[in-house]
Amino acid sequence: MQRCLIGHLAQNPIFLDDWPESAVPILCRFLSRMEASGSLTNASELIAALKQAEPAFQEAAASPEKSQAIFRYILMKAKEAGISITDIDASFAFAVKELARMAGIDLDNKEVRERLSSLLDSGITEAFSSRLCVTMIFERCEDFCKRFKDDTILEHCRRIVTILSDHPTAPLLRGDGVLWSAAIVYAACQDEDLIRSGKGAPPLGQEISFFFGFERASIRNKVRAMRALLPE
């Protein structure tokens, strides 16, 4: 019961905002009614197990790592389908369909399609779009960081992305996502003393410029604006 709750039910990619808090109470009422109807004899034991696992379930259901893993998987599937991650509209349309499939939603059913549409119209679209955008920004950082021998720069990028994605002004959702990726990588390399100003500077800044397709001046300007949003 607990393994199903945490390992499966909590991983559902589509749910309403109050679902993590309401799921276990609903299941407990269901078990009580099953016992009252004579279909179950150990409801109290199962209810106790569910309540014991409820904190872990709520944490797993709302975990940022879960969302990131889901969208990384979707982006991988999108790439396999030939969809460019720089195409936001195509990526989002694919993500909605893939999320529906992962959640067990039958998109061939008209009633189900209408319900999904109402969920999307209720604000889930914006949440999905935000998560997808942040995942795509980090995905590009990860692609660049494959050239390094260890994960030092990648983990630095992850910390920056986490801070910016939690920022109340949601800066990552404004402006060019590719430029955000370039600025994050550039800042991480600066912080690790891999990019130095002045003559004789290593060519890493040029590599970043070439990889992301922006002039170094544009990237540096973005880095300066970004640092104003980061803690010292």
Side-chain angles (χ1 to χ4, degrees), residues 94-131:
F94 181 89
V96 170
K97 291 180 180 179
E98 189 64 21
L99 282 167
R101 185 195 64 78
M102 292 169 65
I105 296 174
D106 181 10
L107 293 179
D108 292 329
N109 185 302
K110 182 180 178 181
E111 183 179 347
V112 170
R113 285 201 309 271
E114 290 175 351
R115 186 173 177 219
L116 177 61
S117 177
S118 67
L119 284 174
L120 295 176
D121 291 340
S122 70
I124 291 181
T125 299
E126 183 178 351
F128 282 176
S129 181
S130 300
R131 293 177 189 176

XYZ file of all heavy atoms in Angstrom, residues 94-131:
295
model
N 3.793 18.669 -27.668
C 4.237 17.291 -27.463
C 4.188 16.940 -25.980
O 3.783 15.832 -25.605
C 5.658 17.112 -28.006
C 6.194 15.716 -27.869
C 5.978 14.778 -28.877
C 6.909 15.318 -26.745
C 6.458 13.484 -28.754
C 7.387 14.030 -26.612
C 7.160 13.111 -27.627
N 4.617 17.888 -25.120
C 4.654 17.635 -23.678
C 3.271 17.347 -23.123
O 3.094 16.445 -22.297
C 5.277 18.833 -22.952
N 2.269 18.110 -23.568
C 0.892 17.900 -23.083
C 0.410 16.501 -23.444
O -0.158 15.779 -22.611
C -0.058 18.964 -23.663
C -1.510 18.607 -23.357
C 0.270 20.336 -23.089
N 0.652 16.092 -24.686
C 0.222 14.758 -25.116
C 0.966 13.666 -24.353
O 0.381 12.658 -23.949
C 0.448 14.599 -26.616
C -0.472 15.457 -27.470
C -0.207 15.252 -28.951
C -1.128 16.119 -29.798
N -0.857 15.953 -31.247
N 2.275 13.872 -24.141
C 3.069 12.855 -23.443
C 2.677 12.770 -21.970
O 2.598 11.686 -21.391
C 4.560 13.178 -23.583
C 5.501 12.091 -23.089
C 5.395 10.800 -23.877
O 4.917 10.828 -25.033
O 5.791 9.749 -23.340
N 2.417 13.922 -21.353
C 1.958 13.938 -19.965
C 0.619 13.215 -19.831
O 0.399 12.470 -18.878
C 1.827 15.374 -19.463
C 3.128 16.076 -19.071
C 2.899 17.570 -18.907
C 3.689 15.487 -17.789
N -0.264 13.454 -20.784
C -1.563 12.783 -20.766
C -1.386 11.272 -20.882
O -2.049 10.494 -20.172
C -2.439 13.300 -21.897
N -0.485 10.856 -21.753
C -0.228 9.421 -21.913
C 0.332 8.829 -20.628
O -0.090 7.764 -20.176
C 0.753 9.190 -23.066
C 0.993 7.713 -23.384
C 2.209 7.523 -24.258
N 3.424 7.945 -23.586
C 4.046 7.214 -22.654
N 3.539 6.050 -22.263
N 5.151 7.644 -22.098
N 1.300 9.541 -19.996
C 1.918 9.059 -18.759
C 0.899 8.969 -17.632
O 1.002 8.103 -16.754
C 3.064 9.999 -18.362
C 4.253 9.970 -19.319
S 5.432 11.301 -18.992
C 6.028 10.836 -17.364
N -0.087 9.869 -17.658
C -1.107 9.872 -16.606
C -2.231 8.891 -16.890
O -3.166 8.770 -16.100
C -1.675 11.286 -16.457
N -2.156 8.173 -18.035
C -3.169 7.191 -18.367
C -4.428 7.786 -18.941
O -5.509 7.182 -18.863
N -4.317 8.999 -19.512
C -5.492 9.661 -20.083
C -5.673 9.214 -21.526
O -4.738 9.258 -22.323
C -5.320 11.194 -20.017
C -5.253 11.644 -18.558
C -6.440 11.902 -20.754
C -4.942 13.110 -18.385
N -6.869 8.793 -21.854
C -7.197 8.339 -23.205
C -7.605 9.539 -24.048
O -8.729 10.033 -23.964
C -8.340 7.318 -23.152
C -8.706 6.792 -24.538
O -7.961 7.078 -25.506
O -9.734 6.099 -24.649
N -6.687 10.007 -24.898
C -6.961 11.197 -25.697
C -7.926 10.925 -26.848
O -8.357 11.857 -27.527
C -5.651 11.779 -26.231
C -4.707 12.362 -25.168
C -3.432 12.877 -25.813
C -5.390 13.487 -24.396
N -8.250 9.654 -27.086
C -9.244 9.324 -28.114
C -10.664 9.483 -27.597
O -11.624 9.474 -28.377
C -9.033 7.893 -28.618
C -7.735 7.742 -29.394
O -7.323 8.738 -30.024
O -7.148 6.647 -29.368
N -10.800 9.619 -26.276
C -12.113 9.773 -25.650
C -12.486 11.256 -25.612
O -11.779 12.068 -25.026
C -12.069 9.193 -24.233
C -13.424 9.203 -23.556
O -14.041 10.253 -23.403
N -13.876 8.026 -23.137
N -13.603 11.621 -26.250
C -13.998 13.021 -26.339
C -14.188 13.649 -24.969
O -13.751 14.780 -24.712
C -15.282 13.137 -27.157
C -15.751 14.580 -27.337
C -17.034 14.630 -28.154
C -17.526 16.083 -28.284
N -18.784 16.160 -29.062
N -14.856 12.929 -24.066
C -15.116 13.463 -22.726
C -13.810 13.715 -21.985
O -13.656 14.724 -21.297
C -15.994 12.486 -21.942
C -16.375 12.990 -20.558
C -17.263 12.011 -19.810
O -17.784 11.071 -20.451
O -17.429 12.177 -18.593
N -12.869 12.790 -22.143
C -11.564 12.941 -21.479
C -10.819 14.136 -22.053
O -10.196 14.908 -21.324
C -10.737 11.645 -21.632
C -9.301 11.869 -21.157
C -11.372 10.513 -20.841
N -10.888 14.289 -23.386
C -10.220 15.430 -24.021
C -10.780 16.747 -23.506
O -10.046 17.700 -23.249
C -10.375 15.359 -25.537
C -9.499 14.330 -26.210
C -9.315 14.651 -27.698
N -10.576 14.892 -28.388
C -11.304 13.933 -28.960
N -10.883 12.672 -28.912
N -12.426 14.227 -29.578
N -12.100 16.794 -23.344
C -12.738 18.020 -22.857
C -12.320 18.307 -21.414
O -12.082 19.463 -21.049
C -14.257 17.897 -22.958
C -14.769 17.901 -24.394
C -16.256 17.648 -24.478
O -16.855 17.309 -23.424
O -16.831 17.778 -25.581
N -12.220 17.253 -20.622
C -11.809 17.456 -19.222
C -10.372 17.930 -19.150
O -10.029 18.811 -18.359
C -11.982 16.147 -18.453
C -11.726 16.324 -16.965
C -12.054 15.073 -16.188
N -11.738 15.270 -14.782
C -11.211 14.363 -14.006
N -10.923 13.183 -14.497
N -10.968 14.598 -12.748
N -9.511 17.323 -19.970
C -8.113 17.744 -20.002
C -8.007 19.194 -20.447
O -7.236 19.976 -19.894
C -7.305 16.847 -20.946
C -5.828 17.218 -21.125
C -5.087 17.144 -19.796
C -5.164 16.308 -22.152
N -8.833 19.556 -21.427
C -8.821 20.929 -21.912
C -9.213 21.904 -20.808
O -8.616 22.976 -20.673
C -9.782 21.070 -23.098
O -9.838 22.405 -23.547
N -10.195 21.528 -19.989
C -10.616 22.404 -18.893
C -9.519 22.524 -17.844
O -9.324 23.589 -17.253
C -11.902 21.879 -18.257
O -11.683 20.650 -17.589
N -8.787 21.433 -17.619
C -7.673 21.488 -16.678
C -6.593 22.433 -17.196
O -6.029 23.230 -16.446
C -7.076 20.090 -16.463
C -7.860 19.135 -15.575
C -7.208 17.758 -15.595
C -7.921 19.655 -14.151
N -6.300 22.334 -18.480
C -5.288 23.199 -19.073
C -5.715 24.658 -19.000
O -4.921 25.542 -18.692
C -5.029 22.789 -20.524
C -4.421 21.400 -20.725
C -4.318 21.076 -22.203
C -3.052 21.308 -20.068
N -7.007 24.907 -19.256
C -7.516 26.274 -19.214
C -7.524 26.835 -17.794
O -7.507 28.052 -17.600
C -8.941 26.341 -19.774
C -8.973 26.073 -21.273
O -7.915 26.219 -21.911
O -10.051 25.707 -21.787
N -7.528 25.960 -16.787
C -7.602 26.415 -15.400
C -6.268 26.906 -14.855
O -6.184 27.356 -13.731
C -8.122 25.285 -14.502
O -7.151 24.260 -14.376
N -5.205 26.822 -15.652
C -3.918 27.329 -15.191
C -2.808 26.311 -15.231
O -1.651 26.648 -15.034
N -3.161 25.050 -15.461
C -2.132 24.027 -15.537
C -1.233 24.267 -16.744
O -0.053 23.960 -16.727
C -2.771 22.623 -15.582
C -3.412 22.318 -14.225
C -1.757 21.553 -15.913
C -4.056 20.964 -14.139
N -1.806 24.862 -17.816
C -1.003 25.179 -18.987
C 0.188 26.041 -18.609
O 1.319 25.795 -19.021
C -1.854 25.928 -20.039
O -2.923 25.095 -20.444
C -1.013 26.283 -21.244
N -0.057 27.071 -17.818
C 1.018 27.979 -17.421
C 2.055 27.252 -16.584
O 3.264 27.455 -16.756
C 0.433 29.154 -16.633
C 1.474 30.193 -16.231
C 0.858 31.365 -15.498
O -0.379 31.448 -15.445
O 1.616 32.189 -14.978
N 1.592 26.392 -15.671
C 2.537 25.646 -14.836
C 3.389 24.706 -15.679
O 4.612 24.615 -15.494
C 1.775 24.855 -13.774
N 2.755 23.978 -16.613
C 3.495 23.078 -17.491
C 4.508 23.849 -18.328
O 5.651 23.440 -18.487
C 2.541 22.339 -18.423
C 1.814 21.203 -17.765
C 0.855 20.489 -18.458
C 2.072 20.858 -16.459
C 0.172 19.444 -17.856
C 1.393 19.814 -15.843
C 0.436 19.111 -16.547
N 4.053 24.971 -18.890
C 4.913 25.776 -19.737
C 6.123 26.270 -18.957
O 7.251 26.266 -19.463
C 4.127 26.962 -20.308
O 4.938 27.742 -21.140
N 5.897 26.688 -17.709
C 6.997 27.184 -16.875
C 8.009 26.081 -16.594
O 9.221 26.279 -16.732
C 6.443 27.731 -15.558
O 5.539 28.789 -15.784
N 7.510 24.914 -16.204
C 8.405 23.795 -15.903
C 9.179 23.371 -17.138
O 10.378 23.072 -17.080
C 7.597 22.613 -15.364
C 6.969 22.866 -13.999
C 6.136 21.672 -13.571
N 5.341 21.947 -12.385
C 4.468 21.093 -11.868
N 4.276 19.915 -12.446
N 3.787 21.409 -10.787
